[in-house]
Amino acid sequence: QVQLVESGGGSVQAGGSLRLSCAASGYTGSTHSMGWFRQAPGKEREGVAGVDSYGQTSYADSVKGRFTISKDNAKNTLYLQMNSLKPEDTAMYYCALSRTGRWWLLLAAAEYNYWGQGTQVTVSS
């Protein structure tokens, strides 16, 4: 059974930083992608950043230059370093895993098979 558990969310002032973590367990496939998504109240879930098995990454335009996705394969953990946070970054952030690993779909929610429960990020102005 695949489990994804996010942590690291919280409240921060604009301009601050947070690092989200996602501990993954139970997945045995050799090919996969992982990503971070977010959903604000009243808005659709959107892809923030993704990384495939080869380390190729993709970012939403709104976070390029501010967020960095990385993973530690030895720890089966995905990270999202978020710098220069803005109030519009406020959302529930979700970690997700895709069995297909298609890099050109790293930000497509429909591509992902497993989801975590989410961690809240609140940025105040």
Side-chain angles (χ1 to χ4, degrees):
Q1 181 179 358
V2 176
Q3 284 193 321
L4 303 173
V5 180
E6 303 97 334
S7 62
S11 297
V12 65
Q13 289 192 327
S17 298
L18 285 173
R19 188 176 83 153
L20 305 183
S21 299
C22 172
S25 61
Y27 183 73
T28 59
S30 59
T31 301
H32 70 279
S33 297
M34 294 193 74
W36 288 99
F37 291 77
R38 67 186 181 188
Q39 188 167 18
K43 295 188 177 181
E44 292 186 357
R45 188 169 297 191
E46 64 170 339
V48 175
V51 57
D52 70 5
S53 297
Y54 302 99
Q56 295 185 98
T57 59
S58 182
Y59 294 92
D61 288 343
S62 59
V63 306
K64 282 180 181 176
R66 299 189 298 122
F67 291 11
T68 302
I69 190 170
S70 63
K71 58 181 180 177
D72 185 330
N73 292 326
K75 296 182 178 180
N76 291 325
T77 301
L78 181 73
Y79 301 100
L80 185 68
Q81 178 66 44
M82 305 186 295
N83 298 328
S84 302
L85 283 161
K86 304 176 181 180
E88 51 264 44
D89 294 318
T90 295
M92 184 71 78
Y93 283 70
Y94 298 90
C95 170
L97 186 149
S98 166
R99 293 194 298 262
T100 59
R102 295 184 288 192
W103 65 267
W104 60 95
L105 294 174
L106 285 175
L107 300 184
E111 188 72 0
Y112 288 79
N113 309 101
Y114 307 99
W115 293 83
Q117 293 300 307
T119 185
Q120 178 67 37
V121 171
T122 302
V123 184
S124 58
S125 57

